[in-house]
Amino acid sequence: MKQADFPILNQTINGQRMIYLDNAATSQKPKQVIDAMTHYYQVDNANVHRGIYDLSERATAAYEASRDKVQAFIHAKYRKEIVFTRGTTESINWLASTYGVAHVTADDDIVISYMEHHSNIVPWQQLAQKTGAKLKYVNLNSDGTLDMSDLAQKITDQTKIVSIAHASNVLGVVNPIQEIANIAHQHGAIMIADGAQSAPHMVVDVQALGVDFFAFSGHKMMGPTGIGVLYGRLSLLEQMTPAQFGGEMIERVSLTGATFKPVPWRFEAGTPNIAGAIGLGAAIDYLTAYGMTQIENDERQLVAYALPKLLAISGLTVYGPQDSAYHTGVIAFNLAGIHAHDLATALDQEGIEVRAGHHCAQPLMTKLNLSATARISVYSYNTMTEIDRLISVLEQIKEYFSHEFA
Amino acid sequence: MSLHNLDNLYRQSVMAYAKHPRHYRPVATTDCNQATKYNPTCGDTITISVELSGDLITDIHFYGDGCAISKASASMMTDLVIGKDKAEIQQLMDNFLKMTMGEQVDTDTLGEAQLLAGVTKFPTRIKCATLPWHTLQALLFSKEEAK
């Protein structure tokens, strides 16, 4: 992928050419996305679904065209199955507070795993507290993969909801969502996949995965912040009550009540994030033109290059699978004797931007008996030259902290 | 090489404190004057326990998990506050917090802790240096909150 498409990548940090390796937190945006949003504000800006004038019609067409792009991108059966949200967090919160409240009782279970991001834990904790339902965590194997035999035991006929990350934001593993969905469905539960870390990096086919709901964020896939998607199987969306009420989502309002628009608009109360949806559409155009399979290949090669080099640094521990064939472009690690925050500060001095901390996955960190790790996460625009520089700077940092203060 | 910018932050003595922290041992659940603080953005956690004689700190120790800066800062702070009363500690606390914000203060009173002044050049790390002080503040001056 051409770095030249990403204006932000062409800058120095602390006197060094910036190397951006925090793509699991947020990705950078190609100028095609930035231009599409600028064009919207300069040429097409109007409110959607209400103006009886040309400009509003154009804005509405652009907003709805993005829905079509999302539908094609995740291979949904119907365009109505695509609901725009603020991001993955909002998507999952809506599910917990509407579908969850309507279907979960004190006798039921909700099943998640130890590797979930807080956004796929806390909404379910809240639902469990509200309803008295039991929240169960599926165990992990020693290599960080999901323990499927534990999963098969935890999901029972009492389970109403199974919600699992498609790809981990710490361990670099991809979970077998299709297999999990089959097990969930055998027990009459619905299957939710948190796609925040998968949708940006791999081909997603929600029908092949067999999921009932799929949530993801625009900003991690080269789109803007503040826009995301909740995909839902049409029959389920049609039973679901909206999480929010107001303009845009109603049909008729009287003094005592209201009727709502059909799916998906009934879920999109208020003026939506029109520019965000258009930016997401442009991001999908960009990703699709380059090819999601090509992105998968690029990142597989980057990992195959980076992981052995990282593991060859003595004192460096990588969490999750050690074999690059089973590791995504998210690599969490620690360097013995150097706290992850000190490591991240040192990398930043060399213009290398990485995350350090608990990665919004505290139950996982507790399970791994860790308080913090450093984490690199690549996107297709990263290069092997950047990996070389990362490795050489890591060696220098190791030297700095061991020699300077011996 | 840019790594040498780190010298402003990781001075020899700072690293010595981080590697061999002073007054560093587990805090027992039975210790009566204790407070724990946690930095939710990075995961650093620190527990401080003090022995008081009236307003005077006669002993202090801490335990927790954090980066070199937070450990060194806690270590230096514990050295500094033993034998001081609450009013003196309040003054030190004000000085230290101001120093980390880049304000002019009388840093001599801060002893070794003044070596952390370099943190002003690393804004994302200021919270690491101040976490132990905020914990002590909660322990001495707002006990209800600390619990």
Side-chain angles (χ1 to χ4, degrees):
Chain A
M1 190 169 278
K2 283 187 292 183
Q3 284 208 343
D5 283 344
F6 298 80
I8 201 171
L9 295 178
N10 183 24
Q11 67 173 292
T12 55
I13 297 232
N14 294 319
Q16 302 286 331
R17 197 182 152 276
M18 178 178 80
I19 297 178
Y20 184 76
L21 290 172
D22 195 16
N23 293 286
T26 197
S27 67
Q28 299 304 345
K29 327 300 174 198
K31 63 178 184 302
Q32 288 84 343
V33 168
I34 300 166
D35 290 349
M37 296 176 74
T38 306
H39 177 86
Y40 166 71
Y41 279 125
Q42 287 187 341
V43 181
D44 294 332
N45 178 56
N47 212 327
V48 292
H49 301 137
R50 50 176 88 154
I52 313 293
Y53 51 87
D54 187 62
L55 198 62
S56 169
E57 181 47 37
R58 286 212 303 266
T60 305
Y63 178 71
E64 290 299 330
S66 286
R67 200 185 306 275
D68 294 329
K69 290 173 187 180
V70 173
Q71 180 202 346
F73 186 71
I74 61 169
H75 302 88
K77 195 167 181 186
Y78 306 107
R79 72 184 308 276
K80 311 195 246 196
E81 295 178 320
I82 308 303
V83 181
F84 286 122
T85 65
R86 218 152 48 82
T88 311
T89 299
E90 186 170 83
S91 300
I92 297 175
N93 271 280
W94 281 5
L95 288 175
S97 66
T98 62
Y99 185 92
V101 167
H103 293 89
V104 173
T105 68
D107 300 328
D108 298 329
D109 304 335
I110 305 157
V111 174
I112 61 175
S113 85
Y114 274 100
M115 73 169 83
E116 302 309 317
H117 186 282
H118 293 160
S119 61
N120 195 29
I121 300 174
V122 187
W124 305 119
Q125 287 175 341
Q126 292 294 313
L127 177 62
Q129 283 167 19
K130 213 177 288 178
T131 58
K134 194 167 167 199
L135 181 61
K136 296 190 200 166
Y137 291 80
V138 175
N139 266 318
L140 308 182
N141 297 313
S142 57
D143 65 353
T145 53
L146 209 57
D147 180 343
M148 291 299 286
S149 59
D150 186 53
L151 178 130
Q153 289 191 345
K154 293 258 162 76
I155 299 177
T156 66
D157 289 346
Q158 270 64 57
T159 307
K160 281 282 164 33
I161 293 173
V162 178
S163 189
I164 303 281
H166 191 186
S168 163
N169 71 320
V170 179
L171 297 166
V173 302
V174 178
N175 291 318
I177 293 297
Q178 191 179 359
E179 196 183 334
I180 302 168
N182 282 338
I183 298 168
H185 291 152
Q186 278 161 23
H187 291 278
I190 60 147
M191 178 70 207
I192 302 170
D194 168 357
Q197 298 295 340
S198 63
H201 301 284
M202 60 190 77
V203 176
V204 169
D205 182 332
V206 289
Q207 295 185 72
L209 289 173
V211 290
D212 298 295
F213 294 100
F214 189 86
F216 60 102
S217 300
H219 71 97
K220 292 188 201 289
M221 49 184 282
M222 302 191 182
T225 52
I227 188 79
V229 172
L230 172 62
Y231 156 83
R233 199 188 288 277
L234 186 59
S235 55
L236 292 172
L237 283 183
E238 286 187 329
Q239 300 166 29
M240 241 168 79
T241 47
Q244 292 172 329
F245 304 87
E248 296 274 359
M249 55 80 67
I250 47 84
E251 261 173 5
R252 284 170 179 280
V253 181
S254 70
L255 288 179
T256 51
T259 58
F260 308 139
K261 275 188 184 165
V263 169
W265 299 285
R266 75 163 64 153
F267 298 109
E268 296 174 1
T271 296
N273 183 355
I274 306 167
I278 289 169
L280 175 59
I284 289 173
D285 287 343
Y286 186 86
L287 293 169
T288 312
Y290 185 77
M292 291 308 292
T293 311
Q294 187 60 44
I295 289 174
E296 280 182 53
N297 288 339
D298 289 350
E299 293 177 8
R300 197 171 295 129
Q301 282 179 33
L302 282 168
V303 174
Y305 189 72
L307 198 59
K309 285 183 192 291
L310 284 167
L311 290 168
I313 297 174
S314 70
L316 192 144
T317 307
V318 167
Y319 304 99
Q322 307 291 297
D323 181 344
S324 60
Y326 301 98
H327 208 113
T328 68
V330 174
I331 305 176
F333 64 97
N334 268 318
L335 200 45
I338 307 175
H339 192 278
H341 306 158
D342 299 317
L343 185 60
T345 292
L347 284 165
D348 182 43
Q349 287 307 305
E350 292 284 336
I352 302 174
E353 312 297 280
V354 307
R355 177 83 185 263
H358 52 56
H359 317 298
C360 299
Q362 288 173 22
L364 172 63
M365 301 300 272
T366 307
K367 181 117 185 127
L368 298 175
N369 203 16
L370 293 168
S371 66
T373 82
R375 180 188 72 185
I376 62 161
S377 49
V378 302
Y379 216 152
S380 180
Y381 45 66
N382 290 117
T383 64
M384 307 231 183
T385 316
E386 291 178 334
I387 300 296
D388 285 338
R389 178 120 203 292
L390 167 75
I391 301 294
S392 114
V393 170
L394 283 173
E395 295 279 13
Q396 289 167 33
I397 291 169
K398 210 182 120 186
E399 191 89 341
Y400 178 87
F401 279 97
S402 59
H403 278 214
E404 303 273 320
F405 310 113
Chain B
M1 190 189 67
S2 313
L3 276 187
H4 281 293
N5 294 340
L6 291 175
D7 296 348
N8 291 319
L9 186 57
Y10 301 99
R11 315 267 298 254
Q12 289 276 356
S13 41
V14 172
M15 288 309 288
Y17 270 103
K19 288 205 165 159
H20 308 286
R22 314 245 310 138
H23 312 288
Y24 183 70
R25 62 176 193 275
V27 173
T29 46
T30 48
D31 286 4
C32 30
N33 293 308
Q34 60 170 289
T36 297
K37 269 209 186 274
Y38 173 69
N39 179 346
T41 54
C42 67
D44 277 7
T45 171
I46 179 173
T47 301
I48 295 176
S49 169
V50 295
E51 305 259 340
L52 287 167
S53 167
D55 261 4
L56 201 72
I57 289 194
T58 55
D59 201 5
I60 184 167
H61 67 282
F62 79 101
Y63 201 66
D65 190 83
C67 60
I69 303 306
S70 69
K71 262 198 178 142
S73 181
S75 188
M76 292 162 167
M77 180 186 78
T78 51
D79 267 353
L80 194 60
V81 297
I82 291 178
K84 298 217 166 56
D85 65 25
K86 283 188 179 181
E88 291 171 295
I89 291 166
Q90 180 70 65
Q91 187 58 49
L92 291 172
M93 203 170 274
D94 289 348
N95 280 352
F96 184 83
L97 296 178
K98 281 180 181 161
M99 178 187 81
T100 60
M101 300 308 291
E103 292 175 39
Q104 289 294 327
V105 287
D106 177 13
T107 49
D108 287 347
T109 56
L110 293 172
E112 295 279 280
Q114 66 184 287
L115 294 171
L116 288 168
V119 80
T120 53
K121 296 200 178 68
F122 297 82
T124 59
R125 305 302 300 280
I126 293 171
K127 279 187 183 161
C128 311
T130 56
L131 184 67
W133 288 90
H134 286 307
T135 313
L136 184 62
Q137 188 171 38
L139 176 53
L140 295 181
F141 302 111
S142 52
K143 283 203 74 186
E144 290 313 306
E145 187 204 336
K147 280 174 189 168

